[in-house]
Amino acid sequence: MKFPPHANRMHRFDPSMMALVFDYMRERSELAEAPIDGLGARQALEQALEGLIAREPKDPREVLGVYVDSLSGTILSADSPRYYAFIPSAPTEAATMFDMVVSSASLQGCSWLEAAGAVAAENQALRVLADLAGMPPESGGVFVSGGSAGNLSALVVARDKARQDRQARGIGPSRLKVVVSDQAHSSISSALNIVDLDALIIPTRDGRLDAESLQQRLSAADLSDVIAIVATAGTTNAGIIDDLEAAARWARDERWWFHVDAAYGGAGMLSPRIRHLYAGIEHADSIVMDPHKWWFAPYDCGALLYRNPRIAKAIHTQHASYLDVIHQDDVELNPSDLAYHLTRRARGLPLWFSLAVNGLDAYRDAVEYGIALAQYAAERIRQTEYLELLRDPVLSVVLFRRRGWQKADYDAWSRAMLQEQVAFVTPTSWQGEPVGRLVFMHPSTTPEMIDEVLAPLAAEPGSQTSR
Ligand SMILES: *Cc1c(COP(=O)(O)O)cnc(C)c1O
């Protein structure tokens, strides 16, 4: 037998490479404020990467140098306190550090057999989220890659359970429908497309799914093929929390699956001041909350919770002879069995570590700080000439209109703010019209930073485009 020589040369401990990478991580962590960084041009990036991967090895210093000098500056820092676009990210120090532990040992979290300690700790973190939502003690779930993966996996369960129930009741196959609002996240329509369910869309008046809009649309509709209702606890565009009680009532009366998409807004329940807005969430059959959004965990981490995880297990478990060994114990629920996946990173551990290290009060304060920033921004907008607040913020998103501005003006403002490293901010649309949008997530964002991004808007209409 002839073995290739030095086949493990990639796997030997290399103290100088470790020092190199650790030094970089330390430097990045020590920055008082992460730079926003900027956009990248494909040609320049391709030039920087040219020839880097070859048959022969390269010095780690050279490769890290390319990353630091040519790549990292073109990756916008979602963890900058000046990042107000999309949904920013602000992972805690503890979560970021523990993410390195997960990476350093290639920790996985598939099953009790393979990773009991990781599964138990992840479950402890999931319990915090489930308890906050008022789900029963037997509820449980799994950390998936994000809200999209969670919504898809939940809707698979809703669909298959409905199919089984309908078959048992002797109902023949037909196209099944799910009730959603016109503000549901894009991942919901994507998931419905994948699982081949039709959307029964409820038009909302002001972005909120409420008892009236449900009544209006559903009272005259044929509901015989409806199997589920999806409500949103914190729309991504505007931070609106649907009337979850009303959605829960329809679900109970019609025996539909009740799914709550709280990917962004779920953490708002940590604030006792707004907890009542989530009333009804405790009736959900499944809930999605993204720790990589307002639970201050690093990417990628979404939490999927089921009222009865055994239903999900029966549907999602993958069967293969080599996997039988992880299913011999039928009492414990394996994370792999609760969503559409098999191998999975123990991605709940950074959140678990951070929840324990920081305590829940710190989480409450950080979330309430984001809400307070949104209220501060709303107040400034109300006081500023030419600016118009579109709705009172409930969570940490603020929508506003700049009188006289077209889409191009908002785009110019966005570009200028990035160029000056004052903010990363992108416009959106509201009721068909381009508008400004600010999202606050980072507890290191200051009121002064908000003043800076709003300042250029206070100039006379028209003067902005000329800058
Ligand atoms: C962000 C978001 C999603 C999608 O989550 P990803 O983690 O980006 O996949 C779904 N629903 C809502 C309400 C969201 O805010």
Side-chain angles (χ1 to χ4, degrees):
M1 182 65 71
K2 189 175 177 305
F3 291 107
H6 312 300
N8 72 340
R9 59 191 182 277
M10 300 189 289
H11 292 75
R12 281 192 299 251
F13 177 59
D14 179 343
S16 67
M17 183 162 68
M18 178 173 255
L20 185 74
V21 173
F22 276 28
D23 283 351
Y24 172 70
M25 293 197 290
R26 178 186 289 272
E27 268 168 42
R28 178 67 170 70
S29 298
E30 277 174 355
L31 292 173
E33 185 187 318
I36 308 172
D37 292 318
L39 309 176
R42 184 150 70 105
Q43 217 170 20
L45 289 166
E46 283 176 356
Q47 208 165 9
L49 291 166
E50 171 110 46
L52 212 54
I53 300 176
R55 293 190 58 182
E56 299 300 319
K58 291 271 183 325
D59 187 329
R61 261 169 309 192
E62 181 193 339
V63 184
L64 187 66
V66 171
Y67 175 76
V68 173
D69 299 337
S70 304
L71 308 184
S72 71
T74 69
I75 305 169
L76 292 171
S77 305
D79 61 342
S80 157
R82 295 174 179 275
Y83 188 111
Y84 314 124
F86 311 115
I87 300 280
S89 131
T92 67
E93 282 302 297
T96 303
M97 294 301 131
F98 209 80
D99 202 49
M100 297 180 198
V101 174
V102 176
S103 298
S104 72
S106 190
L107 289 195
Q108 50 87 16
C110 296
S111 66
W112 280 91
L113 174 81
E114 298 156 278
V119 177
E122 285 193 310
N123 284 349
Q124 188 179 29
L126 287 166
R127 195 70 252 150
V128 171
L129 310 196
D131 287 348
L132 190 62
M135 290 186 108
E138 65 276 12
S139 63
V142 57
F143 289 104
V144 293
S145 64
S148 305
N151 284 333
L152 173 62
S153 295
L155 286 168
V156 167
V157 176
R159 179 198 63 187
D160 285 9
K161 176 161 188 307
R163 277 186 185 158
Q164 290 160 9
D165 291 352
R166 289 161 71 91
Q167 200 172 14
R169 282 155 55 211
I171 306 172
S174 57
R175 284 204 64 81
L176 303 177
K177 296 191 192 110
V178 176
V179 173
V180 299
S181 109
D182 58 6
Q183 299 294 307
H185 189 264
S186 50
S187 62
I188 296 290
S189 65
S190 161
L192 292 179
N193 179 40
I194 295 170
V195 299
D196 202 22
L197 297 173
D198 290 334
L200 199 168
I201 296 172
I202 311 288
T204 57
R205 269 166 312 153
D206 194 28
R208 184 166 185 256
L209 183 76
D210 58 10
E212 214 181 313
S213 49
L214 281 164
Q215 183 65 29
Q216 229 166 46
R217 177 73 180 86
L218 296 180
S219 55
D222 173 9
L223 302 180
S224 55
D225 291 330
V226 174
I227 59 140
I229 180 166
V230 175
T232 310
T235 60
T236 320
N237 200 29
I240 298 165
I241 302 167
D242 288 344
D243 184 341
L244 304 177
E245 291 278 22
R249 269 196 307 277
W250 276 95
R252 187 195 54 214
D253 294 349
E254 303 288 336
R255 302 174 66 209
W256 297 336
W257 184 274
F258 178 30
H259 177 69
V260 177
D261 180 359
Y264 154 55
M269 286 187 284
L270 285 163
S271 167
R273 275 179 265 179
I274 60 165
R275 177 61 183 83
H276 63 279
L277 300 175
Y278 297 80
I281 196 170
E282 67 279 7
H283 301 301
D285 292 297
S286 51
I287 302 176
V288 156
M289 284 188 232
D290 270 0
H292 69 206
K293 287 181 177 169
W294 220 0
W295 286 91
F296 312 109
Y299 302 124
D300 53 3
C301 190
L304 168 59
L305 299 165
Y306 298 101
R307 163 170 237 87
N308 181 353
R310 303 226 157 245
I311 300 175
K313 175 187 156 104
I315 288 162
H316 277 301
T317 298
Q318 297 186 22
H319 297 280
S321 25
Y322 80 98
L323 290 175
D324 284 349
V325 61
I326 71 171
H327 295 130
Q328 275 160 13
D329 172 0
D330 196 40
V331 181
E332 302 300 352
L333 293 158
N334 293 322
S336 288
D337 297 339
L338 299 180
Y340 174 73
H341 58 197
L342 183 60
T343 301
R344 61 179 292 278
R345 175 180 173 84
R347 60 166 69 82
L349 290 183
L351 174 68
W352 164 81
F353 184 73
S354 180
L355 285 169
V357 164
N358 291 299
L360 292 172
D361 285 356
Y363 277 80
R364 177 204 58 212
D365 291 349
V367 164
E368 288 196 332
Y369 187 81
I371 297 171
L373 286 174
Q375 269 154 16
Y376 174 84
E379 195 48 43
R380 298 298 293 189
I381 288 163
R382 271 194 216 99
Q383 290 166 355
T384 306
E385 237 195 313
Y386 315 123
L387 291 190
E388 218 176 301
L389 187 69
L390 289 169
R391 23 181 328 124
D392 288 319
V394 176
L395 299 178
S396 64
V397 190
V398 183
L399 293 182
F400 63 93
R401 173 190 296 126
R402 164 66 203 247
R403 238 167 286 153
W405 267 19
Q406 312 296 322
K407 171 86 169 50
D409 301 300
Y410 290 100
D411 288 341
W413 169 59
S414 166
R415 272 196 306 275
M417 291 295 91
L418 183 58
Q419 185 133 41
E420 294 162 27
Q421 295 282 291
V422 168
F424 180 54
V425 58
T426 49
T428 183
S429 64
W430 181 248
Q431 296 173 346
E433 173 199 4
V435 300
R437 175 175 178 270
L438 298 167
V439 188
F440 303 105
M441 199 120 298
H442 207 304
S444 302
T445 301
T446 62
E448 293 71 35
M449 292 177 187
I450 297 176
D451 292 346
E452 287 177 44
V453 72
L454 290 177
L457 300 158
E460 282 211 34
S463 67
Q464 178 63 25
T465 36
S466 58
R467 61 185 300 149

